[in-house]
Amino acid sequence: TTAGNAIQQLQLIVSSLTEAANIDEALMQDHVEVIDIAALLSEYVNNSQLKHSGEKLSYYGEKSGVYVKANDIRIVQLLDKLKDNALDFRKEDSEISFQLDTDQHQQAIISVKNEGETIPQQILELLFQGMISQRAARSGAPHLGIGLYVAHHIAEFHQAELKIANRRDKQGVEVVLILPLINASD
C-alpha cells in the first residue's frame, strides 16, 4: 500500500537522522584497539558478497597483517555506508571493488570503487555535509546523504581521512579512506 510505503520511508528517514544526530556522542563512548584491517576488510567483503548475492563485490589486497588503531564495529559501519552508496550508484552488473594498499607514509589506503555515473564537482565538495544527495533513489529508500555524513564522522574519530572523487578513468566514483598504520609491536 502507498500508506504503508510512506510510513516505511518515514521510519527510514527518522532512523538515519537519529543515527546522524547521535554519531558524535556514540563515538565518544567507543574504544579503539589494534585491529588487523586487512583481515577485517577481507572478511567484510566476503560477508557482503553473501548478503548481496546478485552483486559483484571484490576485494583486492592483503588478507592479513595490516594493523591500525580502530574500533572494528565503527569501521564496519563506515564500510556499510560506502558499500550502500556504491551499490546505489553502480551500473547494473558492474563490479564494486574494495582495495587495500599501504604507502611509504605509514598509511592504510582503502578504496571503494564502483562503475556508473560520475558526480558533478560542486556536489562532490558538499557531499560530507549531511543533507546533500546526488541520486535517483534506485533502492526505493530515501536518500538524504546521511550515510556519507556518518561515515565522515567515523573517519574523523579515527584520525582518518575520507575522500570522494570521480575515478580518473571517468567510469564511476571512488571513495578513499586513509588510516594511519601502526606497527604490530607498538
Side-chain angles (χ1 to χ4, degrees):
T1 68
T2 318
N5 286 348
I7 288 169
Q8 208 174 356
Q9 295 273 48
L10 274 173
Q11 285 170 333
L12 280 166
I13 289 171
V14 169
S15 75
S16 42
L17 283 171
T18 305
E19 181 184 34
N22 295 335
I23 188 69
D24 288 328
E25 203 174 316
L27 287 167
M28 279 164 44
Q29 267 130 77
D30 283 349
H31 298 289
V32 293
E33 57 192 4
V34 176
I35 63 166
D36 186 338
I37 195 74
L40 183 146
L41 263 172
S42 172
E43 189 181 331
Y44 175 82
V45 176
N46 275 341
N47 292 341
S48 296
Q49 182 61 75
L50 294 171
K51 201 162 120 186
H52 303 277
S53 55
E55 304 296 340
K56 296 180 190 140
L57 301 172
S58 310
Y59 173 66
Y60 302 94
E62 299 290 335
K63 299 283 190 286
S64 66
V66 181
Y67 299 98
V68 298
K69 245 192 177 123
N71 179 293
D72 54 353
I73 292 164
R74 291 296 175 196
I75 294 293
V76 166
Q77 185 184 11
L78 186 157
L79 290 170
D80 272 341
K81 304 299 180 200
L82 303 188
K83 176 196 68 186
D84 291 348
N85 245 30
L87 283 168
D88 281 346
F89 281 112
R90 84 206 176 299
K91 202 166 67 192
E92 223 163 320
D93 295 327
S94 64
E95 177 190 65
I96 290 169
S97 71
F98 292 76
Q99 187 168 333
L100 174 65
D101 296 296
T102 55
D103 69 9
Q104 70 278 24
H105 304 299
Q106 291 296 299
Q107 299 180 122
I109 300 158
I110 299 164
S111 317
V112 181
K113 294 183 199 170
N114 74 347
E115 278 177 45
E117 296 285 310
T118 53
I119 301 173
Q121 190 58 39
Q122 65 274 27
I123 296 204
L124 278 175
E125 290 162 17
L126 297 169
L127 271 175
F128 294 124
Q129 293 183 14
M131 298 301 171
I132 308 285
S133 180
Q134 160 72 7
R135 69 179 102 189
R138 187 181 307 168
S139 58
H143 285 295
L144 305 171
I146 288 174
L148 284 178
Y149 174 84
V150 170
H152 181 63
H153 279 261
I154 295 171
E156 280 188 331
F157 169 75
H158 287 91
Q159 274 98 48
E161 195 180 346
L162 190 61
K163 302 193 275 201
I164 185 163
N166 292 315
R167 283 169 40 175
R168 285 201 194 100
D169 61 9
K170 303 285 184 267
Q171 298 299 303
V173 173
E174 176 175 14
V175 183
V176 179
L177 175 68
I178 303 169
L179 286 156
L181 286 174
I182 60 160
N183 294 321
S185 57
D186 284 356

